[in-house]
Amino acid sequence: MQMRHHAFSLPLLSSLLLGIGATFTLAGCSTRPVVAEALPFDRAILAAADALLEQAQPLPGFLGGTDRRVVALDPTLDADSGQQTSATQQLDRVIGERVQQARQFELVPFEAASLASAQYLIVGSMARAQGAHRLDLAMLDVKSGTVLAQSSVQARLEVADMKPINYYRDSPILMKDETVEGYVRTSNTRAGSKADASYLGRIAAAAAINDAAKLYNSGRYREALVEYRGLLATPTGNQIRVLNGVYLSSAKLGRTAEAEDAFGRLVAYGLAQKSLSVKFLFNPGSTEFWADPRLTSAYGMWLRQIARQASSVKVCMDIVGHTSSTGPEEVNDNLSTRRASFIKHKLSAESAELAGRTRTVGMGSRHNLVGSGTDDVVDAPDRRVDFAIVDCKA
């Protein structure tokens, strides 16, 4: 491929050279650039952003013209938990800065009001892989749905701040459904291929959801609730992030009946998807719920709705307990089993028929999503209880 000089080729080179000994390959415009050796997190996100934009330079219309291409960034996600975190926000800031420094691009917010003007979208995810975080970024053409550029870079684990932002911190469940999974798949789709269909069909909804989440994160709960309610009335609005938003906003406003109805719909949605992950917080080393009622006062309602919805659809479930990574493996295995049994007992008290249609499994810390071992809000997804739909025995 013929080399050309671009406005930000020197920043690109400098960011790549920050990781001494790292290897960077770009065999052709449709080839996925990969930095093989794990870089410090701040250097890795620079390398990922610059590699993506450098790869986009030979696209039609970039060379020899004066028009700037309009780009929007759909906020990046932690692929394992489906959350936005301090680390993904840091990644977003760097991507935004690099796009703004490039003369070929104009960055617009990922909002419903400005999305119509965007020609390209950037998506990105972070996933734990082989003792590091893999950062995957992709740029796609909005009109065709084709991925135009893609980069992958390895980042060291120790620096990334995995603290979730408010909406995800407050969420009772993990935010992973087909829409979120489609976003993550798009972030590591090779250039020249179509972006994931489940993501492409919900881009407009994603922008509106992002608008509502901004309202929630800034404490504007009434306005957020109005936005989330409106989204539920749209064809693409019946998804986990919207249902969760209605629940969270209603709960913050003290609308207990609406909050319980929304949580019931969340549970029904998860059961229909054959998987539901709920973040029950326990006292360390115990099967008793966390002592702070501000965090656990809704647990009785959660259990009531899980029991009610599971009984209504006559499903059989594995109740799977998880723990954080602190403590010996054998202790965690036993603790996770006892916590799963505790939840089964609570559900059976709500609906006796569930006793014969549920079984307990302890996974210890083997399926950690965060792995920080901090035993606080950061690794709350590691201390979850999963409800997995299984075939009922004859």
Side-chain angles (χ1 to χ4, degrees):
M1 182 173 66
Q2 183 180 357
M3 299 300 293
R4 296 177 172 90
H5 297 285
H6 303 295
F8 58 95
S9 57
L10 286 179
L12 167 65
L13 180 60
S14 63
S15 68
L16 291 176
L17 290 178
L18 285 171
I20 299 174
T23 59
F24 179 81
T25 60
L26 179 56
C29 295
S30 63
T31 298
R32 175 189 310 219
V34 180
V35 175
E37 182 178 327
L39 302 175
F41 187 71
D42 57 345
R43 299 177 183 180
I45 59 180
L46 279 171
D50 285 343
L52 183 78
L53 297 177
E54 180 75 5
Q55 190 187 170
Q57 292 300 292
L59 295 176
F62 280 116
L63 303 176
T66 58
D67 292 339
R68 302 176 74 191
R69 297 303 193 229
V70 180
V71 181
L73 168 63
D74 190 347
T76 58
L77 297 174
D78 174 64
D80 299 309
S81 64
Q83 298 182 142
Q84 292 178 39
T85 67
S86 295
T88 66
Q89 288 188 316
Q90 183 181 351
L91 179 56
D92 292 343
R93 286 193 296 271
V94 170
I95 295 171
E97 289 167 0
R98 296 316 239 190
V99 170
Q100 290 174 319
Q101 290 170 11
R103 292 187 310 215
Q104 294 85 353
F105 299 105
E106 176 187 352
L107 182 69
V108 296
F110 187 71
E111 298 173 352
S114 57
L115 185 62
S117 66
Q119 297 164 283
Y120 301 138
L121 278 180
I122 296 176
V123 299
S125 63
M126 297 175 51
R128 288 170 66 93
Q130 299 177 344
H133 278 122
R134 190 185 71 246
L135 311 181
D136 290 317
L137 302 181
M139 179 185 289
L140 57 141
D141 180 87
V142 174
K143 186 175 181 179
S144 69
T146 301
V147 173
L148 305 174
Q150 200 280 338
S151 65
S152 295
V153 174
Q154 300 276 33
R156 296 175 192 165
L157 289 175
E158 64 271 13
V159 178
D161 183 353
M162 302 306 292
K163 183 184 302 178
I165 64 174
N166 292 352
Y167 170 89
Y168 293 94
R169 178 202 64 201
D170 297 343
S171 171
I173 62 175
L174 293 186
M175 293 288 98
K176 297 194 74 174
D177 64 359
E178 182 58 24
T179 304
V180 172
E181 296 282 10
Y183 175 98
V184 173
R185 287 193 292 269
T186 297
S187 72
N188 55 47
T189 296
R190 291 183 179 276
S193 300
K194 285 282 188 179
D196 188 271
S198 60
Y199 172 69
L200 287 175
R202 293 174 173 84
I203 291 174
I209 291 169
N210 190 55
D211 290 348
K214 286 180 179 178
L215 292 170
Y216 180 88
N217 288 325
S218 63
R220 298 161 65 182
Y221 304 124
R222 293 184 186 278
E223 295 168 81
L225 182 57
V226 170
E227 293 296 320
Y228 283 123
R229 284 173 175 166
L231 280 162
L232 275 181
T234 66
T236 55
N238 185 32
Q239 53 178 283
I240 200 165
R241 290 181 295 177
V242 178
L243 293 168
N244 188 65
V246 173
Y247 167 74
L248 291 176
S249 301
S250 299
K252 288 289 188 181
L253 293 169
R255 300 174 182 263
T256 54
E258 185 171 4
E260 179 160 0
D261 177 73
F263 189 81
R265 295 177 68 174
L266 266 176
V267 173
Y269 183 96
L271 296 180
Q273 301 294 315
K274 299 188 181 300
S275 180
L276 175 70
S277 295
V278 182
K279 296 187 291 187
F280 288 112
L281 293 182
F282 294 87
N283 286 324
S286 169
T287 59
E288 294 298 320
F289 287 140
W290 195 260
D292 188 345
R294 292 174 300 176
L295 300 176
T296 60
S297 60
Y299 285 10
M301 180 272 283
W302 294 3
L303 291 162
R304 179 168 63 249
Q305 283 298 324
I306 293 169
R308 184 175 297 174
Q309 299 299 329
S311 297
S312 174
V313 293
K314 306 295 183 184
V315 296
C316 294
M317 301 187 298
D318 281 349
I319 302 174
V320 186
H322 300 266
T323 70
S324 62
S325 58
T326 52
E329 183 176 340
E330 61 273 14
V331 173
N332 286 336
D333 286 347
N334 178 268
L335 180 59
S336 62
T337 300
R338 290 192 291 117
R339 285 176 173 173
S341 298
F342 175 79
I343 295 297
K344 175 173 179 171
H345 174 76
K346 291 286 188 180
L347 292 178
S348 299
E350 294 286 345
S351 176
E353 66 178 281
L354 288 179
R357 290 198 279 110
T358 54
R359 61 186 181 186
T360 59
V361 180
M363 293 303 301
S365 60
R366 290 189 293 280
H367 287 178
N368 277 184
L369 299 176
V370 179
S372 66
T374 53
D375 285 334
D376 58 14
V377 68
V378 173
D379 66 356
D382 293 342
R383 305 191 305 278
R384 69 197 182 279
V385 175
D386 290 337
F387 300 90
I389 308 306
V390 297
D391 292 333
C392 295
K393 295 180 179 178

